[in-house]
């Protein structure tokens, strides 16, 4: 079982509140013109959507077995390993020296899609499992995905051609 710990999500909750609270306070306490109301309303909608997305991610639990990856929460998704048709592992740097940042894993099987980030407890193990499944399926991985797998210490087999 994998989940996002509260400590990892606290920053996102604070960012959402830092944007949502002031905009809602301004809209509810100050008489503003229509243009300002639309601008502040837009900001409130963006920060509100971010808060909802953070909450949904926080309540999501993932389970792996030999056959599939199941995400349960308000939105449930199942990625069958034998149907895996998409794997992308991206690194997003927060500094120019690329020493700090986070990784995002995108998986797909048919119409099912799942996106996870490296704040997830056990992210390395989940990525390792996905890499094994991708290799078993013969998926061609991008150079960036291969480099990011190697950065996590996951050995990527050489391409073998059509299976």
């Amino acid at each position: 079982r994998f989940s996002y710990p509260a400590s990892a999500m606290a920053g996102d909750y604070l960012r959402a509140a830092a944007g949502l609270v002031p905009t809602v306070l301004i809209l509810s306490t100050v008489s503003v013109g229509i243009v300002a109301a639309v601008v502040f309303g837009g900001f409130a909608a963006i920060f509100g959507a971010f808060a909802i997305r953070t909450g949904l991610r926080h309540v999501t639990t993932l389970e792996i077995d030999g056959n599939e990856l199941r995400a349960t929460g308000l939105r449930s998704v199942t990625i069958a390993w034998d149907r895996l048709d998409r794997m992308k592992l991206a690194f997003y740097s927060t500094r120019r020296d690329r020493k700090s940042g986070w990784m995002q894993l995108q998986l797909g099987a048919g119409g099912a899609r799942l996106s996870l980030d490296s704040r997830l407890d056990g992210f390395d193990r989940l990525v390792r499992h996905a890499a094994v499944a991708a290799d078993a399926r013969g998926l061609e991985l991008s150079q960036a995905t291969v480099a990011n797998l190697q950065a996590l210490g996951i050995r990527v087999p050489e391409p073998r051609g059509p299976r």
Side-chain angles (χ1 to χ4, degrees):
R1 284 183 83 104
F2 304 91
S3 63
Y4 289 94
S7 60
M9 303 307 289
D12 284 354
Y13 283 124
L14 287 172
R15 282 183 278 282
L20 188 58
V21 170
T23 55
V24 169
L25 280 174
I26 289 170
L27 286 172
S28 63
T29 60
V30 178
S31 178
V32 295
I34 188 73
V35 173
V38 169
V39 169
F40 281 110
F43 284 134
I46 290 168
F47 285 110
F50 181 67
I52 290 168
R53 183 180 152 270
T54 299
L56 290 174
R57 184 164 281 197
H58 190 192
V59 300
T60 299
T61 302
L62 298 129
E63 294 181 44
I64 290 181
D65 64 25
N67 300 319
E68 62 191 15
L69 167 64
R70 284 183 307 281
T72 55
L74 293 177
R75 179 178 167 253
S76 295
V77 175
T78 300
I79 302 287
W81 296 124
D82 64 352
R83 292 193 179 142
L84 187 70
D85 57 20
R86 173 179 168 79
M87 178 179 169
K88 178 181 176 186
L89 182 61
F91 176 72
Y92 297 96
S93 180
T94 56
R95 297 199 176 149
R96 286 184 190 221
D97 63 7
R98 299 187 54 82
K99 295 205 189 258
S100 182
W102 75 95
M103 288 191 163
Q104 184 172 8
L105 175 66
Q106 295 175 0
L107 299 172
R113 298 279 185 250
L114 191 58
S115 180
L116 310 164
D117 69 51
S118 54
R119 295 176 295 174
L120 182 73
D121 275 343
F123 181 77
D124 301 17
R125 289 182 309 180
L126 197 146
V127 171
R128 191 173 310 279
H129 204 95
V132 168
D135 180 52
R137 293 274 300 153
L139 289 184
E140 188 172 326
L141 303 176
S142 70
Q143 289 179 352
T145 294
V146 170
N148 291 325
L149 286 168
Q150 290 171 342
L152 288 177
I154 299 172
R155 189 180 76 71
V156 180
E158 293 294 320
R160 292 185 282 247
R163 292 186 185 200

